Amino acid sequence: MVKPLSAKLWRDIRRQKAQFAAVALTVFLGVTIFAASYDSFQNLTASYEATFTGFRFANLTMQGGDVEAFAAEAAATDGVESVQTRTVADVPMQVGATKFLGRVVGMPGTDSDVNQVRVIEGAAITDPGALVVLVEEHMAEHFGLHPGDTVIVAGQTVAVGGSVSSPEYIWPARSRQVPFSSPDNFGVVFTTEETARALAAAGPNEAVVYFAGGEPDAGLAAGLTTRGRALGTTSVFTRDLQPSNEALQEDLKGFQEMALFFPILFLVAAAMAAYVMISRLVWAQRPHIGVLLANGVRKRTVLGHYLGYGLVPGLIGALPGAVAGVLLARLITRLYTGLLAIPVTLVKFYPATLAGGVVIGLMAAALAALAPALFASRVQPAEAMRGNTPPGRGRPSLLERLIPPLRKIPIRWRMALRGVGRNPRRTIYTMLGVVLSLVLVLVSWGMIDSIEHVLDVQYVEIQQEDASVRFGEPVGQEQVDLLAGVPGVAAVEPVLEMPVTLGEGDTALDTALIALPADTVMHRFLMDDGSWGSLPAEGVLMGVGIARRLEVRTGDVIPMTIAPLGVTVEVTVGGLLREPLSSVVYASREYAAASFGTLPATSALVSYDPGADPSLVRAAVTELPSVSAFEDAKAIHRMIKDFMVLFYGFVGIMLVFGGAMAFALIFNSMTVNIAERNREVATLLAVGIRRTTISRLITAENLVVAAIAIPIGLVAGHWVSAQAMASFQSELFTLDLFIRPTTYVFSAVAIVLVALLSEVPGLRALRRISIPEVVKERSS
């Protein structure tokens, strides 16, 4: 009996090849996304790890305090392989006419043992006292610097010896609190330790520690952190919290989330498409199943036969999907590492991903087929052979009962309304296809809307300044007034920024305190409840990410240590913020003066006169002796959008795949919906109703079902999108879901158009229906 059933299986697949192809396509897309995203995640993880090991990236960094004593103690600690002290300082730099606050990093010896650099162009510095620097590759590329060029560092003209890559600046972050800086506003140069001390006018102020084999060791890190704080450090952090690496790991975390979330979502949709198709097939073939069982075919044979309807399209979709995903991962990996200039790119073949993609594709299809197959194996032969049409009576539809005037519309349109409720199973299946399709589209589209909204909130609604200016050293009101007198400058607000430590012990968190005027108009404060607030008279405002990390709420009192001043004060949490891209705490300058007894300005926020030329303002401001850096707020916004191109590309692919899967889902629902109504259509034809009228009735019925399902799909899509965005929350980033109203409208319209388009093949098939053939099929 196996061979005849196999022949039947392939005959049924050929007869409904479009529907089976749609199921295979959904499996293909789901498996492709899984293999591409998961292999990309593994490749990027391997590339980072290879970079960390190859460059001996520090497991722990201590800044400030007695670094020499710390280094000596760390070197004598079991599990520590290497320790070095070095000088790291943020100093004024100038390349051409561009002045900015850059960073000079000292390298002990010609080949540092920790946090090594790789020379890309030029040569290593061999003279310890030479005024020569190696420029970090992002800065070198932006300014077009090559060996033999010169830059001004801390007021001295130095030669460019070459360009280098560094594990510390794969993403050139100034600090954890300022992870985004435009190339015009921040750059890094490396030089010998002796030259770094001369340029910084200071001695070693940082110790970097590399553990045995470069492997993380939480216990060792905790012990050294405690010792570092006892020795007066201003900041101590592990590799995970190193500014560049933390930003990259957040991005990698997002990749990991997408590597799980999107494939699950797509494979659930694929399974639902297969379930709907096979359930309808089993229902239509109940008489045949009854005959088979009545003639002695075993239930497990029937079970295996109908499982095949899932396994065949599952295998057809999963095999090429896994291969396509693995190949796509290679492209994504190279694009990503090329965009961020990751020094080491590893693209590996992971057999487990290939095998896993095939297995999960088959499992999704098999699980989808299991319930219909079990139903088929448990059919009662006598009942099944009576036929599929249950007895019933005509009655007004739910819509007619709710809206009585509908009972008076022409009978053909009442038929369409009643068709919705006449076969609940068919209606529910069609609705499921529409709902899942909207979920797939909204998740991808919603992520794009949300990221664009986050950037607008941070750089348009919250940050109202046109630019920020950094002073070479803390200044008084006189220098601030000079800045306000520059032509084109409308207003200036002094800002005090200091490194602080919130909390104590193992839960202590290093961040920065930003003190602004109490009545600031250049920085708005988005509170946790969505309202706009202001600086409290007493206490500080902090982001919800920091509050979660410290486990504090509004009104709690926590210790805050200001290392540069050598004081610790108790501060009240005056409110929680939902700043998307910020991990600092804010206070009023008046509160800071009363609490710390000092009120200089380390920077200033600037707004322009209407019509002022930003380039002329920048040129004039940077001529002031006290100004060391000028940062265009709009430039940062543009830079981040430029770096989001890969994200947009990846999510764009998801949107295209989601659209394709949405079409496959709705196509499958609609075509099967039409195909299983052959007898009904033949009856209507026999009583003289034209084929075009029947087509319009079926289209109207399907559109009514789609109209009912669309609101449900929009709500479900919103909820799933919210879960997706919530997975990206962290201490550094607060990313809330935002979907534009037009996105809902366009998604709904797109689904309606897809529904109409997917009907075309089925309606064409109706035109070929032969009344004698249907009658003959029914009588047989």
Side-chain angles (χ1 to χ4, degrees):
M1 194 65 194
V2 175
K3 288 185 177 180
L5 286 179
S6 296
K8 174 182 175 298
L9 170 65
W10 291 107
R11 184 176 64 250
D12 287 342
I13 290 176
R14 286 193 298 271
R15 289 178 60 185
Q16 300 187 45
K17 54 181 176 293
Q19 290 78 28
F20 278 93
V23 171
L25 175 63
T26 58
V27 174
F28 170 84
L29 293 174
V31 173
T32 297
I33 292 170
F34 164 75
S37 54
Y38 192 66
D39 255 16
S40 297
F41 168 71
Q42 292 189 102
N43 284 333
L44 293 174
T45 301
S47 298
Y48 284 138
E49 292 299 329
T51 298
F52 297 160
T53 303
F55 286 75
R56 298 180 65 83
F57 188 22
N59 294 92
L60 189 76
T61 301
M62 174 186 171
Q63 297 174 336
D66 192 344
V67 296
E68 297 285 5
F70 175 81
E73 292 187 26
T77 303
D78 290 340
V80 172
E81 185 174 316
S82 300
V83 182
Q84 284 186 331
T85 61
R86 61 182 187 173
T87 300
V88 179
D90 288 351
V91 298
M93 290 188 187
Q94 185 172 346
V95 180
T98 304
K99 290 175 67 176
F100 56 94
L101 187 66
R103 180 168 298 165
V104 59
V105 180
M107 297 185 297
T110 57
D111 187 13
S112 300
D113 198 34
V114 184
N115 288 351
Q116 296 176 350
V117 298
R118 177 176 298 167
V119 177
I120 299 173
E121 184 182 19
I125 306 171
T126 55
D127 183 356
L131 282 177
V132 179
V133 297
L134 298 174
V135 183
E136 194 276 325
E137 61 178 319
H138 294 89
M139 176 179 167
E141 180 180 0
H142 177 71
F143 289 108
L145 295 172
H146 301 282
D149 293 336
T150 60
V151 297
I152 298 176
V153 180
Q156 298 194 53
T157 300
V158 299
V160 174
S163 60
V164 295
S165 61
S166 163
E168 297 178 272
Y169 300 100
I170 295 174
W171 174 262
R174 186 192 302 277
S175 66
R176 294 187 69 238
Q177 291 69 49
V178 189
F180 304 111
S181 297
S182 70
D184 279 331
N185 301 313
F186 179 68
V188 182
V189 297
F190 297 84
T191 187
T192 64
E193 178 62 17
E194 183 177 330
T195 302
R197 294 181 189 182
L199 293 171
N205 59 355
E206 186 171 288
V208 288
V209 184
Y210 187 74
F211 296 168
E215 295 296 325
D217 187 326
L220 178 59
L224 292 175
T225 297
T226 300
R227 189 58 191 145
R229 296 197 186 282
L231 291 170
T233 179
T234 56
S235 179
V236 58
F237 49 82
T238 60
R239 179 190 289 172
D240 290 341
L241 297 180
Q242 194 273 340
S244 172
N245 188 40
E246 185 175 21
L248 292 172
Q249 291 304 317
E250 287 292 334
D251 199 37
L252 194 59
K253 174 189 171 186
F255 232 116
Q256 184 180 24
E257 297 287 350
M258 288 191 286
L260 296 174
F261 180 81
F262 275 107
I264 290 174
L265 184 63
F266 275 59
L267 286 170
V268 166
M272 186 56 65
Y275 171 77
V276 169
M277 183 196 68
I278 298 168
S279 293
R280 287 177 157 182
L281 184 69
V282 169
W283 185 262
Q285 294 186 0
R286 283 175 66 234
H288 305 152
I289 297 169
V291 171
L292 290 173
L293 292 172
N295 282 278
V297 177
R298 289 181 296 181
K299 291 185 176 182
R300 65 181 182 182
T301 302
V302 172
L303 175 67
H305 172 67
Y306 283 98
L307 279 175
Y309 288 95
L311 292 174
V312 170
L315 186 63
I316 292 173
L319 277 174
V323 174
V326 169
L327 296 177
L328 183 58
R330 295 171 177 263
L331 175 62
I332 293 173
T333 301
R334 290 195 170 93
L335 286 174
Y336 184 97
T337 57
L339 182 67
L340 294 183
I342 297 174
V344 179
T345 298
L346 293 182
V347 177
K348 297 182 178 180
F349 171 64
Y350 301 94
T353 301
L354 192 65
V358 175
V359 169
I360 64 173
L362 284 174
M363 285 182 60
L367 288 174
L370 182 60
L374 284 172
F375 174 81
S377 67
R378 295 169 182 172
V379 161
Q380 296 300 316
E383 179 182 348
M385 287 186 290
R386 292 194 191 105
N388 289 333
T389 306
R393 60 186 180 87
R395 61 178 182 177
S397 66
L398 177 61
L399 284 175
E400 290 176 82
R401 295 197 296 273
L402 292 175
I403 310 175
L406 290 178
R407 300 183 183 185
K408 298 181 180 180
I409 63 176
I411 188 171
R412 59 179 178 274
W413 302 121
R414 273 184 283 156
M415 289 173 61
L417 290 177
R418 294 182 181 185
V420 173
R422 185 161 48 85
N423 191 326
R425 175 183 56 83
R426 181 170 64 213
T427 299
I428 290 173
Y429 287 162
T430 304
M431 288 176 63
L432 278 174
V434 173
V435 169
L436 281 171
S437 299
L438 275 170
V439 169
L440 292 171
V441 172
L442 275 180
V443 167
S444 302
W445 210 334
M447 291 186 73
I448 294 174
D449 280 356
S450 296
I451 293 300
E452 290 182 346
H453 177 69
V454 160
L455 296 179
D456 287 341
V457 167
Q458 183 69 44
Y459 293 107
V460 177
E461 297 184 30
I462 292 177
Q463 296 180 207
Q464 297 287 297
E465 75 274 13
D466 292 308
S468 62
V469 174
R470 288 183 174 269
F471 301 112
E473 57 185 13
V475 301
Q477 189 61 42
E478 181 180 352
Q479 285 82 3
V480 175
D481 291 340
L482 288 175
L483 181 61
V486 171
V489 173
V492 176
E493 290 184 355
V495 179
L496 171 65
E497 180 177 347
M498 295 187 296
V500 298
T501 300
L502 298 174
E504 54 190 358
D506 294 338
T507 61
L509 174 68
D510 294 327
T511 182
L513 172 70
I514 307 295
L516 297 163
D519 58 350
T520 176
V521 295
M522 295 196 199
H523 194 99
R524 303 174 71 199
F525 300 97
L526 181 61
M527 308 306 291
D528 190 29
D529 62 2
S531 65
W532 294 100
S534 58
L535 289 170
E538 300 286 335
V540 299
L541 298 178
M542 67 173 60
V544 292
I546 295 178
R548 281 194 299 265
R549 164 78 181 275
L550 297 175
E551 298 182 350
V552 297
R553 295 177 297 177
T554 300
D556 289 349
V557 177
I558 60 173
M560 182 169 70
T561 302
I562 304 96
L565 303 180
V567 298
T568 298
V569 296
E570 297 290 323
V571 297
T572 302
V573 180
L576 301 181
L577 301 173
R578 294 200 73 81
E579 284 199 17
L581 307 176
S582 178
S583 60
V584 299
V585 293
Y586 297 94
S588 69
R589 286 177 58 80
E590 293 76 6
Y591 172 72
S595 301
F596 318 137
T598 182
L599 199 63
T602 55
S603 62
L605 302 179
V606 176
S607 64
Y608 300 154
D609 286 324
D613 186 336
S615 61
L616 294 179
V617 175
R618 176 171 188 148
V621 167
T622 54
E623 286 299 318
L624 296 176
S626 60
V627 173
S628 64
F630 182 99
E631 191 164 46
D632 185 343
K634 304 300 184 291
I636 299 176
H637 192 184
R638 291 192 297 269
M639 180 205 71
I640 295 175
K641 283 194 170 184
D642 289 342
F643 271 102
M644 293 299 294
V645 63
L646 190 61
F647 169 82
Y648 289 137
F650 186 83
V651 177
I653 292 173
M654 298 301 104
L655 182 58
V656 171
F657 278 20
M661 186 168 280
F663 177 82
L665 283 170
I666 296 178
F667 171 80
N668 216 350
S669 297
M670 294 295 182
T671 51
V672 176
N673 185 9
I674 295 171
E676 67 181 12
R677 304 175 72 166
N678 284 357
R679 295 178 184 177
E680 177 184 333
V681 171
T683 301
L684 293 174
L685 290 173
V687 298
I689 298 178
R690 293 182 299 175
R691 294 178 189 266
T692 55
T693 302
I694 296 172
S695 296
R696 286 198 294 269
L697 290 174
I698 292 175
T699 299
E701 179 183 327
N702 287 333
L703 288 178
V704 170
V705 173
I708 297 172
I710 282 173
I712 301 172
L714 292 176
V715 172
H718 181 93
W719 183 84
V720 174
S721 300
Q723 304 312 304
M725 291 304 298
S727 66
F728 296 105
Q729 303 286 6
S730 71
E731 175 194 321
L732 291 180
F733 307 121
T734 302
L735 306 180
D736 295 323
L737 176 67
F738 175 84
I739 301 180
R740 294 184 176 89
T742 52
T743 297
Y744 292 112
V745 174
F746 290 152
S747 298
V749 170
I751 291 302
V752 171
L753 292 177
V754 169
L756 291 172
L757 183 63
S758 63
E759 282 192 323
V760 173
L763 295 177
R764 284 180 178 174
L766 287 183
R767 297 171 192 163
R768 297 190 296 269
I769 287 179
S770 168
I771 297 176
E773 287 183 6
V774 173
V775 172
K776 180 180 177 182
E777 179 183 345
R778 185 170 185 174
S779 62
S780 62

